[in-house]
């Protein structure tokens, strides 16, 4: 027997169930329930928006509602990390069909709250509306606390490229799911719920990072954004990239492809990529390439990448 659906309840009852008992903090002056949330910061505010659409970014047949909630927050907060901003809050706009069970919304909300707690962001409010497909838009706010932001445009010839987090795990998981399988479980879970390296954006900024980006679309694609913004050439050293055993298993299972393709072009892991002076790379970061002079470009082991794609594109 089907459970209670969104159409069986009122918009405001649903909002009340989502916002009941939300944690707050000293920065929040006005929380959910008014026309706007109000919060205080110590410096400039960093703002980013990220949208997830059902059957584009997730499928209900692949991901539990709890996973979708966590992913919505993680993908958005990772952008704050890439600017070295301290996460303050998130507002969520949720579009859902009337026939969706309220249990799905409750599980989604639990995932949102869990990821907010992990990232340090507080859920400040949002909006709910009816639509054909589930669509989630998360807008996040971060406090730079008087520090300058770390942008994509500061990389300099002579810098090294370093990463923190995981690369290519979500892409391997998506490959598995697209073929109707659910293993290796580690990469499937990585597709469902990314693990941004929370706190490492500030670590990188304090160590002197000259440029930084959230790796959401793929290593080559996102390093390309740094190369273009900074006017530099970047070369990736594949000998410094870790190929995990589950990635090799997936590559072998789908025809013996090179598992490095997952790492070079796969998105959705939300690792951090940054450039540093050679002696400034902090603990927990791995050097994977170099920055040189020349036309903006990204090469792999000194040569142009010959793969069909450098990363995710919507159009």
């Amino acid at each position: 027997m089907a459970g209670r659906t969104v159409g069986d309840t009122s918009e405001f009852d649903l909002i009340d169930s989502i916002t009941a008992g939300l944690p707050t903090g000293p920065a929040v002056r006005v929380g959910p329930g008014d026309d706007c949330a109000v919060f205080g910061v110590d410096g400039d505010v960093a703002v980013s928006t990220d949208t997830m659409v059902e059957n584009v970014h997730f499928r209900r047949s692949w991901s539990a509602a709890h996973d979708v909630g966590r992913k919505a927050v993680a993908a958005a907060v990772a952008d704050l990390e890439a600017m070295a901003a301290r996460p303050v809050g998130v507002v969520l706009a949720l579009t859902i069909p009337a026939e969706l069970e309220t249990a799905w919304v409750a599980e989604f909300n639990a995932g949102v709250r869990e990821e907010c707690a992990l990232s340090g962001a507080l859920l400040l409010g949002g909006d709910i509306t009816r639509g054909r497909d589930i669509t989630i838009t998360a807008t996040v706010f971060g406090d730079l606390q008087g520090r300058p932001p770390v942008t994509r445009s500061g990389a300099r010839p002579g810098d090294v490229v370093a990463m923190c987090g995981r690369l290519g795990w979500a892409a391997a998981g998506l490959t598995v799911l697209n073929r109707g399988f659910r293993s290796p479980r580690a990469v499937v879970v990585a597709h469902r719920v990314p693990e941004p390296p929370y706190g490492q954006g500030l670590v990188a900024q304090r160590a002197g990072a000259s440029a930084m980006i959230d790796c959401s679309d793929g290593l080559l694609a996102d390093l390309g954004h740094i190369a273009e913004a900074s006017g530099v050439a970047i070369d990736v050293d594949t000998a410094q990239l870790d190929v995990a055993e589950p990635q090799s298993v997936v590559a072998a299972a789908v025809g013996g492809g090179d598992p490095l393709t997952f790492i070079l072009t796969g998105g959705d892991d939300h690792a951090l990529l940054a450039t540093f002076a050679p002696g400034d790379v902090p603990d927990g970061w791995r050097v994977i390439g170099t920055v040189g002079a020349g036309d903006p470009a990204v090469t792999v082991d000194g040569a142009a990448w010959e793969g069909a794609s450098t990363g995710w594109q919507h159009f």
Side-chain angles (χ1 to χ4, degrees), residues 1-293:
M1 181 177 177
R4 184 178 176 85
T5 68
V6 171
D8 295 328
T9 188
S10 74
E11 173 188 353
F12 299 108
D13 286 343
L14 196 60
I15 292 172
D16 287 344
S17 70
I18 291 172
T19 59
L22 279 177
T24 188
V28 180
R29 312 290 192 253
V30 180
D34 225 302
D35 289 295
C36 291
V38 179
F39 58 90
V41 296
D42 297 328
D44 293 336
V45 177
V47 181
S48 183
T49 296
D50 197 82
T51 295
M52 288 176 30
V53 179
E54 183 181 4
N55 298 323
V56 176
H57 300 88
F58 68 92
R59 297 184 188 178
R60 277 187 270 169
S61 59
W62 291 354
S63 299
H66 188 274
D67 298 334
V68 177
R70 288 192 60 187
K71 188 172 186 175
V73 174
V77 174
D79 286 331
L80 296 181
E81 288 285 342
M83 302 289 284
R86 180 181 67 83
V88 173
V90 55
V91 295
L92 286 174
L94 180 61
T95 300
I96 46 179
E99 62 271 18
L100 184 69
E101 293 189 359
T102 55
W104 192 97
V105 180
E107 292 172 17
F108 169 81
N109 186 40
V112 167
R113 291 189 182 210
E114 180 175 334
E115 199 67 27
C116 281
L118 288 171
S119 69
L122 295 170
L123 182 58
L124 301 177
D127 187 38
I128 292 178
T129 188
R130 183 176 65 186
R132 185 188 64 186
D133 300 316
I134 299 173
T135 302
I136 307 124
T137 297
T139 301
V140 289
F141 305 91
D143 184 358
L144 286 162
Q145 299 176 304
R147 301 182 302 271
V150 182
T151 66
R152 304 175 181 184
S153 60
R156 302 176 293 264
D159 282 350
V160 294
V161 179
M163 60 155 288
C164 186
R166 303 188 303 189
L167 292 172
W169 285 68
L174 180 60
T175 298
V176 166
L177 290 166
N178 272 323
R179 289 175 175 256
F181 299 104
R182 296 294 189 272
S183 64
R185 185 176 183 276
V187 293
V188 172
V189 170
H191 166 75
R192 291 170 175 162
V193 182
E195 296 183 3
Y198 293 131
Q200 287 296 318
L202 181 55
V203 169
Q205 193 270 345
R206 287 174 172 165
S210 53
M212 189 156 50
I213 193 169
D214 161 37
C215 189
S216 57
D217 294 330
L219 176 63
L220 298 183
D222 287 316
L223 286 180
H225 296 317
I226 290 180
E228 187 68 32
S230 298
V232 296
I234 291 175
D235 185 60
V236 175
D237 180 0
T238 59
Q240 303 305 316
L241 298 174
D242 268 344
V243 177
E245 188 265 344
Q247 294 169 314
S248 296
V249 168
V250 175
V254 298
D258 188 349
L260 271 173
T261 301
F262 295 138
I263 296 171
L264 293 171
T265 67
D268 253 7
D269 286 293
H270 297 285
L272 291 178
L273 308 173
T275 56
F276 300 88
D280 291 343
V281 180
D283 292 342
W285 288 71
R286 174 191 291 266
V287 174
I288 60 169
T290 55
V291 180

